[in-house]
PDB file of all heavy atoms in Angstrom:
ATOM      1  N   SER S 177       2.204  -3.909  -1.014  1.00 97.00           N
ATOM      2  CA  SER S 177       3.559  -3.519  -1.412  1.00 97.00           C
ATOM      3  C   SER S 177       4.533  -3.665  -0.250  1.00 97.00           C
ATOM      4  O   SER S 177       5.678  -4.117  -0.436  1.00 97.00           O
ATOM      5  CB  SER S 177       3.561  -2.073  -1.915  1.00 97.00           C
ATOM      6  OG  SER S 177       2.821  -1.963  -3.115  1.00 97.00           O
ATOM      7  N   LEU S 178       4.111  -3.269   0.935  1.00 98.00           N
ATOM      8  CA  LEU S 178       4.952  -3.434   2.118  1.00 98.00           C
ATOM      9  C   LEU S 178       5.239  -4.915   2.359  1.00 98.00           C
ATOM     10  O   LEU S 178       6.374  -5.303   2.666  1.00 98.00           O
ATOM     11  CB  LEU S 178       4.263  -2.808   3.334  1.00 98.00           C
ATOM     12  CG  LEU S 178       4.968  -2.949   4.683  1.00 98.00           C
ATOM     13  CD1 LEU S 178       6.345  -2.285   4.654  1.00 98.00           C
ATOM     14  CD2 LEU S 178       4.119  -2.351   5.803  1.00 98.00           C
ATOM     15  N   TYR S 179       4.237  -5.755   2.205  1.00 97.00           N
ATOM     16  CA  TYR S 179       4.380  -7.198   2.394  1.00 97.00           C
ATOM     17  C   TYR S 179       5.390  -7.775   1.401  1.00 97.00           C
ATOM     18  O   TYR S 179       6.296  -8.531   1.775  1.00 97.00           O
ATOM     19  CB  TYR S 179       3.011  -7.849   2.212  1.00 97.00           C
ATOM     20  CG  TYR S 179       2.918  -9.313   2.602  1.00 97.00           C
ATOM     21  CD1 TYR S 179       2.715  -9.683   3.927  1.00 97.00           C
ATOM     22  CD2 TYR S 179       3.003 -10.321   1.648  1.00 97.00           C
ATOM     23  CE1 TYR S 179       2.588 -11.012   4.292  1.00 97.00           C
ATOM     24  CE2 TYR S 179       2.880 -11.656   1.995  1.00 97.00           C
ATOM     25  CZ  TYR S 179       2.672 -11.995   3.328  1.00 97.00           C
ATOM     26  OH  TYR S 179       2.561 -13.322   3.676  1.00 97.00           O
ATOM     27  N   THR S 180       5.255  -7.405   0.128  1.00 96.00           N
ATOM     28  CA  THR S 180       6.188  -7.880  -0.897  1.00 96.00           C
ATOM     29  C   THR S 180       7.611  -7.437  -0.582  1.00 96.00           C
ATOM     30  O   THR S 180       8.559  -8.221  -0.686  1.00 96.00           O
ATOM     31  CB  THR S 180       5.775  -7.359  -2.288  1.00 96.00           C
ATOM     32  OG1 THR S 180       4.559  -7.995  -2.686  1.00 96.00           O
ATOM     33  CG2 THR S 180       6.839  -7.649  -3.330  1.00 96.00           C
ATOM     34  N   GLY S 181       7.772  -6.173  -0.184  1.00 96.00           N
ATOM     35  CA  GLY S 181       9.106  -5.665   0.119  1.00 96.00           C
ATOM     36  C   GLY S 181       9.758  -6.377   1.281  1.00 96.00           C
ATOM     37  O   GLY S 181      10.956  -6.700   1.240  1.00 96.00           O
ATOM     38  N   LEU S 182       8.996  -6.655   2.326  1.00 96.00           N
ATOM     39  CA  LEU S 182       9.549  -7.343   3.492  1.00 96.00           C
ATOM     40  C   LEU S 182       9.917  -8.780   3.146  1.00 96.00           C
ATOM     41  O   LEU S 182      10.943  -9.294   3.609  1.00 96.00           O
ATOM     42  CB  LEU S 182       8.555  -7.297   4.650  1.00 96.00           C
ATOM     43  CG  LEU S 182       8.313  -5.911   5.256  1.00 96.00           C
ATOM     44  CD1 LEU S 182       7.223  -5.971   6.319  1.00 96.00           C
ATOM     45  CD2 LEU S 182       9.597  -5.333   5.848  1.00 96.00           C
ATOM     46  N   ARG S 183       9.105  -9.429   2.333  1.00 94.00           N
ATOM     47  CA  ARG S 183       9.460 -10.788   1.899  1.00 94.00           C
ATOM     48  C   ARG S 183      10.693 -10.760   1.000  1.00 94.00           C
ATOM     49  O   ARG S 183      11.527 -11.666   1.049  1.00 94.00           O
ATOM     50  CB  ARG S 183       8.286 -11.445   1.185  1.00 94.00           C
ATOM     51  CG  ARG S 183       7.131 -11.796   2.103  1.00 94.00           C
ATOM     52  CD  ARG S 183       6.299 -12.919   1.550  1.00 94.00           C
ATOM     53  NE  ARG S 183       5.789 -12.621   0.216  1.00 94.00           N
ATOM     54  CZ  ARG S 183       5.101 -13.497  -0.521  1.00 94.00           C
ATOM     55  NH1 ARG S 183       4.869 -14.712  -0.076  1.00 94.00           N
ATOM     56  NH2 ARG S 183       4.658 -13.157  -1.711  1.00 94.00           N
ATOM     57  N   TYR S 184      10.800  -9.737   0.187  1.00 92.00           N
ATOM     58  CA  TYR S 184      11.976  -9.580  -0.663  1.00 92.00           C
ATOM     59  C   TYR S 184      13.245  -9.477   0.188  1.00 92.00           C
ATOM     60  O   TYR S 184      14.310  -9.976  -0.188  1.00 92.00           O
ATOM     61  CB  TYR S 184      11.807  -8.337  -1.528  1.00 92.00           C
ATOM     62  CG  TYR S 184      13.039  -7.927  -2.292  1.00 92.00           C
ATOM     63  CD1 TYR S 184      13.500  -8.686  -3.364  1.00 92.00           C
ATOM     64  CD2 TYR S 184      13.729  -6.763  -1.948  1.00 92.00           C
ATOM     65  CE1 TYR S 184      14.640  -8.299  -4.067  1.00 92.00           C
ATOM     66  CE2 TYR S 184      14.852  -6.369  -2.654  1.00 92.00           C
ATOM     67  CZ  TYR S 184      15.308  -7.140  -3.705  1.00 92.00           C
ATOM     68  OH  TYR S 184      16.419  -6.758  -4.398  1.00 92.00           O
ATOM     69  N   MET S 185      13.119  -8.851   1.356  1.00 92.00           N
ATOM     70  CA  MET S 185      14.259  -8.725   2.263  1.00 92.00           C
ATOM     71  C   MET S 185      14.517 -10.003   3.046  1.00 92.00           C
ATOM     72  O   MET S 185      15.495 -10.090   3.786  1.00 92.00           O
ATOM     73  CB  MET S 185      14.036  -7.555   3.226  1.00 92.00           C
ATOM     74  CG  MET S 185      13.983  -6.207   2.540  1.00 92.00           C
ATOM     75  SD  MET S 185      13.747  -4.826   3.702  1.00 92.00           S
ATOM     76  CE  MET S 185      15.387  -4.705   4.405  1.00 92.00           C
ATOM     77  N   GLY S 186      13.637 -10.995   2.895  1.00 91.00           N
ATOM     78  CA  GLY S 186      13.865 -12.293   3.509  1.00 91.00           C
ATOM     79  C   GLY S 186      13.138 -12.535   4.819  1.00 91.00           C
ATOM     80  O   GLY S 186      13.381 -13.552   5.478  1.00 91.00           O
ATOM     81  N   TYR S 187      12.226 -11.647   5.202  1.00 93.00           N
ATOM     82  CA  TYR S 187      11.527 -11.823   6.476  1.00 93.00           C
ATOM     83  C   TYR S 187      10.361 -12.799   6.325  1.00 93.00           C
ATOM     84  O   TYR S 187       9.635 -12.770   5.330  1.00 93.00           O
ATOM     85  CB  TYR S 187      11.022 -10.473   7.000  1.00 93.00           C
ATOM     86  CG  TYR S 187      12.140  -9.586   7.473  1.00 93.00           C
ATOM     87  CD1 TYR S 187      12.585  -8.523   6.691  1.00 93.00           C
ATOM     88  CD2 TYR S 187      12.778  -9.823   8.690  1.00 93.00           C
ATOM     89  CE1 TYR S 187      13.633  -7.712   7.110  1.00 93.00           C
ATOM     90  CE2 TYR S 187      13.824  -9.015   9.118  1.00 93.00           C
ATOM     91  CZ  TYR S 187      14.243  -7.968   8.323  1.00 93.00           C
ATOM     92  OH  TYR S 187      15.282  -7.183   8.740  1.00 93.00           O
ATOM     93  N   ARG S 188      10.208 -13.639   7.323  1.00 91.00           N
ATOM     94  CA  ARG S 188       9.073 -14.563   7.378  1.00 91.00           C
ATOM     95  C   ARG S 188       7.883 -13.815   7.983  1.00 91.00           C
ATOM     96  O   ARG S 188       7.986 -13.238   9.067  1.00 91.00           O
ATOM     97  CB  ARG S 188       9.410 -15.794   8.216  1.00 91.00           C
ATOM     98  CG  ARG S 188      10.520 -16.652   7.615  1.00 91.00           C
ATOM     99  CD  ARG S 188      10.874 -17.813   8.534  1.00 91.00           C
ATOM    100  NE  ARG S 188       9.738 -18.696   8.732  1.00 91.00           N
ATOM    101  CZ  ARG S 188       9.441 -19.716   7.925  1.00 91.00           C
ATOM    102  NH1 ARG S 188      10.203 -19.956   6.867  1.00 91.00           N
ATOM    103  NH2 ARG S 188       8.409 -20.499   8.175  1.00 91.00           N
ATOM    104  N   LEU S 189       6.765 -13.852   7.282  1.00 94.00           N
ATOM    105  CA  LEU S 189       5.589 -13.077   7.686  1.00 94.00           C
ATOM    106  C   LEU S 189       4.378 -13.994   7.781  1.00 94.00           C
ATOM    107  O   LEU S 189       4.356 -15.074   7.172  1.00 94.00           O
ATOM    108  CB  LEU S 189       5.313 -11.972   6.658  1.00 94.00           C
ATOM    109  CG  LEU S 189       6.439 -10.954   6.425  1.00 94.00           C
ATOM    110  CD1 LEU S 189       6.096 -10.067   5.241  1.00 94.00           C
ATOM    111  CD2 LEU S 189       6.681 -10.125   7.670  1.00 94.00           C
ATOM    112  N   PHE S 195      -1.628 -10.223   7.931  1.00 97.00           N
ATOM    113  CA  PHE S 195      -0.738  -9.061   7.895  1.00 97.00           C
ATOM    114  C   PHE S 195      -1.533  -7.786   7.606  1.00 97.00           C
ATOM    115  O   PHE S 195      -1.376  -6.766   8.280  1.00 97.00           O
ATOM    116  CB  PHE S 195       0.322  -9.300   6.818  1.00 97.00           C
ATOM    117  CG  PHE S 195       1.327  -8.203   6.648  1.00 97.00           C
ATOM    118  CD1 PHE S 195       2.517  -8.211   7.360  1.00 97.00           C
ATOM    119  CD2 PHE S 195       1.109  -7.162   5.741  1.00 97.00           C
ATOM    120  CE1 PHE S 195       3.474  -7.203   7.178  1.00 97.00           C
ATOM    121  CE2 PHE S 195       2.048  -6.158   5.557  1.00 97.00           C
ATOM    122  CZ  PHE S 195       3.235  -6.182   6.281  1.00 97.00           C
ATOM    123  N   LEU S 284       6.422  -1.440  11.699  1.00 97.00           N
ATOM    124  CA  LEU S 284       7.671  -2.209  11.699  1.00 97.00           C
ATOM    125  C   LEU S 284       8.110  -2.497  13.131  1.00 97.00           C
ATOM    126  O   LEU S 284       8.575  -3.599  13.447  1.00 97.00           O
ATOM    127  CB  LEU S 284       8.766  -1.440  10.953  1.00 97.00           C
ATOM    128  CG  LEU S 284       8.577  -1.273   9.443  1.00 97.00           C
ATOM    129  CD1 LEU S 284       9.674  -0.380   8.872  1.00 97.00           C
ATOM    130  CD2 LEU S 284       8.554  -2.620   8.732  1.00 97.00           C
ATOM    131  N   LEU S 287       6.001  -5.193  14.627  1.00 95.00           N
ATOM    132  CA  LEU S 287       6.424  -6.511  14.169  1.00 95.00           C
ATOM    133  C   LEU S 287       7.751  -6.939  14.781  1.00 95.00           C
ATOM    134  O   LEU S 287       8.141  -8.113  14.668  1.00 95.00           O
ATOM    135  CB  LEU S 287       6.552  -6.527  12.645  1.00 95.00           C
ATOM    136  CG  LEU S 287       5.277  -6.353  11.825  1.00 95.00           C
ATOM    137  CD1 LEU S 287       5.613  -6.289  10.337  1.00 95.00           C
ATOM    138  CD2 LEU S 287       4.290  -7.481  12.095  1.00 95.00           C
ATOM    139  N   LEU S 289      10.726  -5.800  13.830  1.00 96.00           N
ATOM    140  CA  LEU S 289      11.730  -5.909  12.770  1.00 96.00           C
ATOM    141  C   LEU S 289      12.776  -4.802  12.915  1.00 96.00           C
ATOM    142  O   LEU S 289      12.431  -3.651  13.200  1.00 96.00           O
ATOM    143  CB  LEU S 289      11.065  -5.815  11.395  1.00 96.00           C
ATOM    144  CG  LEU S 289      10.032  -6.901  11.079  1.00 96.00           C
ATOM    145  CD1 LEU S 289       9.460  -6.705   9.680  1.00 96.00           C
ATOM    146  CD2 LEU S 289      10.642  -8.288  11.208  1.00 96.00           C
ATOM    147  N   LEU S 291      14.153  -2.528  11.321  1.00 97.00           N
ATOM    148  CA  LEU S 291      14.096  -1.698  10.125  1.00 97.00           C
ATOM    149  C   LEU S 291      13.580  -0.309  10.490  1.00 97.00           C
ATOM    150  O   LEU S 291      12.921  -0.133  11.509  1.00 97.00           O
ATOM    151  CB  LEU S 291      13.167  -2.331   9.083  1.00 97.00           C
ATOM    152  CG  LEU S 291      13.508  -3.735   8.596  1.00 97.00           C
ATOM    153  CD1 LEU S 291      12.369  -4.294   7.746  1.00 97.00           C
ATOM    154  CD2 LEU S 291      14.812  -3.734   7.824  1.00 97.00           C
ATOM    155  N   PHE S 310      14.254  -1.297   0.274  1.00 97.00           N
ATOM    156  CA  PHE S 310      13.274  -1.167  -0.796  1.00 97.00           C
ATOM    157  C   PHE S 310      12.497   0.119  -0.595  1.00 97.00           C
ATOM    158  O   PHE S 310      12.598   0.775   0.450  1.00 97.00           O
ATOM    159  CB  PHE S 310      12.338  -2.388  -0.877  1.00 97.00           C
ATOM    160  CG  PHE S 310      11.392  -2.551   0.282  1.00 97.00           C
ATOM    161  CD1 PHE S 310      10.090  -2.071   0.215  1.00 97.00           C
ATOM    162  CD2 PHE S 310      11.788  -3.204   1.442  1.00 97.00           C
ATOM    163  CE1 PHE S 310       9.204  -2.230   1.270  1.00 97.00           C
ATOM    164  CE2 PHE S 310      10.916  -3.377   2.499  1.00 97.00           C
ATOM    165  CZ  PHE S 310       9.622  -2.893   2.424  1.00 97.00           C
ATOM    166  N   ILE S 384      12.760   2.031   3.036  1.00 98.00           N
ATOM    167  CA  ILE S 384      12.867   1.168   4.208  1.00 98.00           C
ATOM    168  C   ILE S 384      14.242   0.533   4.203  1.00 98.00           C
ATOM    169  O   ILE S 384      14.636  -0.130   3.228  1.00 98.00           O
ATOM    170  CB  ILE S 384      11.755   0.115   4.213  1.00 98.00           C
ATOM    171  CG1 ILE S 384      10.396   0.825   4.314  1.00 98.00           C
ATOM    172  CG2 ILE S 384      11.932  -0.869   5.375  1.00 98.00           C
ATOM    173  CD1 ILE S 384       9.201  -0.064   4.182  1.00 98.00           C
TER     174      ILE S 384
END
Side-chain angles (χ1 to χ4, degrees):
S177 294
L178 177 61
Y179 190 83
T180 291
L182 292 175
R183 290 205 304 175
Y184 171 71
M185 295 181 76
Y187 289 103
R188 295 176 62 87
L189 301 171
F195 180 91
L284 292 175
L287 294 176
L289 299 181
L291 301 171
F310 68 96
I384 297 174

